[in-house]
Amino acid sequence: MPALTAADTIRILVATDSHVGYTERDHIRGDDSWKSFHEVMCLAKERDVDMVLLGGDLFHENKPSRKSMYQVMRSLRMNCLGEKPCELEVLSDMSENFQGAFNHVNYEDPDINISIPVFSIHGNHDDPSGEGHFAALDLLQISGLVNYFGRTPEADNIQIKPVLLQKGNTKLALYGMSNVRDERLFRTFRDGKVKFFQPGTQKQDWFNLMTVHQNHHAYTETGYLPENFLPGFLDLVIWGHEHECLIDPKYNPEMDFHVMQPGSSVATSLMPGEAVAKHVAVLSITGRDFKVEPIRLRTVRPFAIKEIVLSEQKEIKALSRKQDHRAELTRHLISIVDELIEQAQAEWRELQEDGLPEDEIPKPLIRLRVEYSAPGGGNYDCENPQRFSNRFVEKVANVNDVVQFYRKKASGSRKMTSGIDMPEESVLASLALDSVRIEKLVREFLEAQNLTILPQNSFGDAVGQFVDKDDKHAMEMFVQESLKSQVKHLMGMDQADEDDLRAMVDEHRTKMEKMFAAGELKRVRKAKIRPKPDGWNTDLDGNWSDQPGALIHSDNEAGDDDDDAASVVAAPKGRGKAAAANKKTAAPAKKAAPARGGRGRKKVVEEESEEGEDNDLLMADSDDEESQLFVQPAKPTKATRKPAARKASPVKRAPAPRGSGRAANNTAARSQSKLNFSQPTFSQPKAQANGTSKKMHQISDDDISDDDDAFEPAPSTATVRSTRNKR
C-alpha cells in the first residue's frame, strides 16, 4: 500500500449530549444549551472537518420546543451548507443504514449543497415516541440537515450494520447504536441477540469506529453496558450519555480498543462530574491510525463546586457548642461562596481571547455542599438553604440552590405528621432536583414504605415514563398490568387460607421485581388509544389521547372496537331493512380466514423466515470471497419464497347460477363483487380462493340499469334462515 498523506485523512468533529432546550424557560440560563451547540458547529466549519459525529441527546426533550428546533436548524444551516464538495464516498447500501423517504446521505442529494455532513444517533432524551414512532432527528433528516443512523427498531433483536465511508485510501466503518433501556440491552447482549456486521472484503483495511449512548458505569447490576460486550474488532468507541468529560481516549487491554467519552456541552446538574472542563475533539483517521485533538469550549457557563465538612473547619468546629451562632456560621459560608464566584470568573477570563468587561462575564453556577453533623452531641444552626441562596441573586445563575446541606447518619426512616414514611434527611439532601433521576427518587421514597402488590422498580420506571416521555397513561397501565399479573397468579394457586394470601402476593411481587431487575420482565406495554371521534375538536376539547375515555383497557375491548368500526366502514349500500340485515350478516365475515394475497400468505412467509433465522451470520468469515460489502445469509431469503406461497393457492371456483337459492347465497357470502362501471350490467361474483368469506359490495341505485334482470336483490335474513332449516 502506498504511503498515506493528508489527502487520505478523515477528520471528524466528535461531540455528545448537547441537550438543546435545557432550562430554556430560565431567564438567565435559557440560552446556554443552544449557544454551546452553535459553538460546536462553528468549530466544525472553522477546522474544516469532513464530517460531524454526534453521540445522542442533541435535544433535551423528545418533543423539543419550536425555539430549540429553530436554533438547531439555524446552526446546521449556517455551518453545514456550502459549495465545498464533501470528499467522503459511501460504499455501503444506504437503504440499510438510513430509513425514511430519503434513505441516503444528505450530501449526495442533488437538491442540497452539503459541505459538512452531520451523522447522529438518538439518546434517551430525544428518542422516538408517539404516533408513527418519530424522533426529533427524523425532522432534521427529512429536511436534509442530519444523517440519522443507528436506529434500534427491535430492542430484543438488534442488527448493527456500519456506514462504509472512504476518503482516498482510508476506509471507515461507522457503527452506531442508539439508546436502548440499559437493563433490556444488557439482557439482549447476554442472550446473544445483538449481531454486528463487517465489510465482506478487505476487513483488515477498515478502521472500525462506533458510537453508543448508554450508561458507562455499573449504577445497578444490569443497568449499564459493559465494554466487554462490544466486539473486539472495534478500534475506537465514542461513548455518549455520561456527562463527565474524559476526552482523552482510554485503552481497554482486554478488548484491544480505545474508549473516548466527550461528555456534555452544557451542565445539566450541579455535580462534580459536570464541573470538569467541557471539550469536543477533532478525530483524525489515517489508515488504521487515529489522533485526537481536544478543543476547550468557551461559551460554557463557568461552574465551581466545593464540599466542606463543618466539623473539620478550624474556624467553625467550636461553634457546635455555642449558643446563637447562626449569623457567624452564615458569614463563614458566604465568604466561601464569594471565593468560588471569583474562581469561576477567573477561569472564564483565561479562556477568552479578547478581554471582556465585567458586565459581560456570565453569572457562574456555584454549588457548596455542606456536611453539618456535629461531633459530641453538638449542633450547627444552619440558615434555610433557599434564603441563603437568595443572597446571591445578582452574582450567580442558580439563585435557588447555591448551598446544599446534608448530614451523615445511619440509615433509617423518619415519620411525617401525616404518617407517611420518609427517607433520611441526608438522602433527601442528595436527591436535589437538578441531579436526581426519577427512578432513584421513587426508589428512595418507596424503600421507606411497605408495598404489598405493586413491584417497586417497575413503579419507578412507570413514573419515569410519565415524567420524561409525557406518557399520560403510563401509571394507569402499570397498575392494571400489575394487578392483572397478581390476580392471575392467585387464581392459578391451589386452595389456600386467607392468612397465606399476603405471603403469596409478596412472593409474586418479589419475583416480578427480580425479573424486572434482570431485564426479563418487559416494560409496561404502550397504551392503546381508541380512534378519535369525528366531532372531536383538538383546539377546543384538548388532545384526544389525554382523555380518560381514549384508553383501551383490554385486548377484548380493543377487539370489540375494531369489529364495530369494521362493520360500520364496510357496510354495504342498500335501503331499509334489507340494508340493515346485510350489515348484521356481513360483519362476522371479517374474522374468517384470509384470502389469497392477504394475510394468509404473509403468515407463511413469516414462518419460513423464522426457520431461516439461524442462517444470519454474526460476522463475516475470514475466508469469505464475496464481493458484497455486507455478509448475506447463504440460503434464500423470504423474498424469494413469496411466489411459492402464491402457487399454493387453490383455483377459483366457477360462478354459481343465478337464482339458485341457498347455494347462490353462500357463494355471494364468500365472494367479492367485481364492478364494471363502463357497462350497464355487472358480472356475477366469483368465489374467493380457499373459501375465504368476504363482505359483499352492493351497487348504488345510480349504477343499476332499467333492466330488472340485471340486478338480483340480496335475500333477507329470514329467507337465509328458512333455507338453512330446510337443509
Side-chain angles (χ1 to χ4, degrees), residues 502-644:
R502 182 179 182 86
M504 294 179 182
V505 171
D506 290 340
E507 178 183 358
H508 186 65
R509 174 181 56 81
T510 305
K511 179 182 177 182
M512 288 193 296
E513 290 178 350
K514 292 181 179 179
M515 292 176 62
F516 187 86
E520 299 175 0
L521 187 63
K522 294 184 178 180
R523 177 177 285 176
V524 178
R525 61 188 177 93
K526 191 171 181 62
K528 296 181 179 179
I529 306 300
R530 290 190 177 92
K532 185 171 64 175
D534 295 336
W536 188 269
N537 191 325
T538 304
D539 296 333
L540 299 178
D541 303 328
N543 292 328
W544 167 248
S545 60
D546 296 341
Q547 305 303 315
L551 180 64
I552 296 177
H553 296 274
S554 65
D555 295 335
N556 296 332
E557 186 177 354
D560 296 340
D561 292 343
D562 294 340
D563 293 341
D564 295 341
S567 63
V568 173
V569 174
K573 299 178 181 178
R575 298 181 181 179
K577 297 181 179 180
N582 289 335
K583 288 182 180 180
K584 295 179 180 179
T585 58
K590 198 72 178 178
K591 299 180 181 179
R596 178 178 65 84
R599 295 185 179 178
R601 186 181 65 186
K602 181 179 180 181
K603 183 176 181 181
V604 173
V605 173
E606 290 175 352
E607 292 176 354
E608 292 177 355
S609 64
E610 291 176 359
E611 295 176 358
E613 186 176 357
D614 295 335
N615 296 328
D616 294 338
L617 299 180
L618 178 62
M619 302 178 190
D621 294 334
S622 58
D623 298 332
D624 245 348
E625 298 296 338
E626 299 182 22
S627 59
Q628 298 177 355
L629 293 175
F630 290 112
V631 177
Q632 301 293 341
K635 293 186 178 181
T637 59
K638 62 181 181 180
T640 62
R641 300 188 180 187
K642 287 186 177 180

Side-chain angles (χ1 to χ4, degrees), residues 277-494:
K278 303 292 185 182
H279 291 81
V280 295
V282 174
L283 173 65
S284 301
I285 303 173
T286 306
R288 294 297 301 272
D289 300 326
F290 72 94
K291 177 177 68 172
V292 174
E293 178 190 355
I295 303 175
R296 177 77 179 268
L297 296 178
R298 298 177 178 176
T299 58
V300 179
R301 186 177 294 274
F303 177 25
I305 185 172
K306 186 176 183 179
E307 181 173 1
I308 63 172
V309 179
L310 293 182
S311 60
E312 298 177 359
Q313 299 281 315
K314 295 181 179 180
E315 306 88 346
I316 303 298
K317 186 176 182 179
L319 292 181
S320 61
R321 301 183 179 277
K322 184 179 179 181
Q323 297 292 333
D324 300 330
H325 62 269
R326 174 181 292 187
E328 187 176 353
L329 176 60
T330 301
R331 285 194 298 270
H332 178 73
L333 297 179
I334 290 177
S335 64
I336 296 177
V337 172
D338 289 336
E339 292 176 1
L340 291 176
I341 294 175
E342 295 178 1
Q343 173 188 339
Q345 292 177 346
E347 293 178 357
W348 170 268
R349 295 189 191 96
E350 293 178 0
L351 289 176
Q352 310 307 315
E353 295 180 351
D354 301 329
L356 292 177
E358 290 295 328
D359 56 349
E360 293 188 14
I361 298 178
K363 298 176 181 178
L365 297 171
I366 302 297
R367 168 53 62 90
L368 176 62
R369 301 187 76 242
V370 180
E371 199 280 311
Y372 67 102
S373 56
N379 181 43
Y380 288 110
D381 188 9
C382 301
E383 190 177 19
N384 178 272
Q386 179 85 20
R387 187 180 301 111
F388 179 87
S389 301
N390 290 339
R391 296 174 179 268
F392 307 93
V393 170
E394 300 299 330
K395 297 181 180 181
V396 300
N398 55 319
V399 295
N400 295 320
D401 51 6
V402 171
V403 67
Q404 181 185 33
F405 295 105
Y406 70 99
R407 177 182 297 173
K408 293 181 180 180
K409 191 176 180 180
S411 60
S413 61
R414 60 186 180 90
K415 285 279 187 178
M416 292 184 63
T417 55
S418 60
I420 301 176
D421 292 332
M422 298 292 291
E424 274 297 316
E425 293 182 359
S426 59
V427 175
L428 291 176
S430 63
L431 297 179
L433 292 179
D434 56 1
S435 62
V436 71
R437 295 181 60 184
I438 293 299
E439 294 85 352
K440 182 179 180 182
L441 179 64
V442 174
R443 183 175 68 251
E444 295 294 346
F445 273 85
L446 293 184
E447 283 180 352
Q449 315 303 321
N450 187 16
L451 293 181
T452 305
I453 299 177
L454 302 179
Q456 174 181 309
N457 45 12
S458 302
F459 194 109
D461 182 73
V463 175
Q465 291 295 306
F466 178 81
V467 176
D468 296 335
K469 309 304 179 187
D470 197 22
D471 188 351
K472 299 294 191 301
H473 305 288
M475 295 300 300
E476 184 177 358
M477 295 296 296
F478 161 71
V479 174
Q480 288 180 2
E481 294 289 340
S482 300
L483 294 179
K484 181 180 177 181
S485 177
Q486 284 281 10
V487 172
K488 183 178 179 181
H489 171 69
L490 295 177
M491 294 296 292
M493 302 294 292
D494 296 334

Side-chain angles (χ1 to χ4, degrees), residues 116 132 254:
I116 303 176
E254 177 186 358

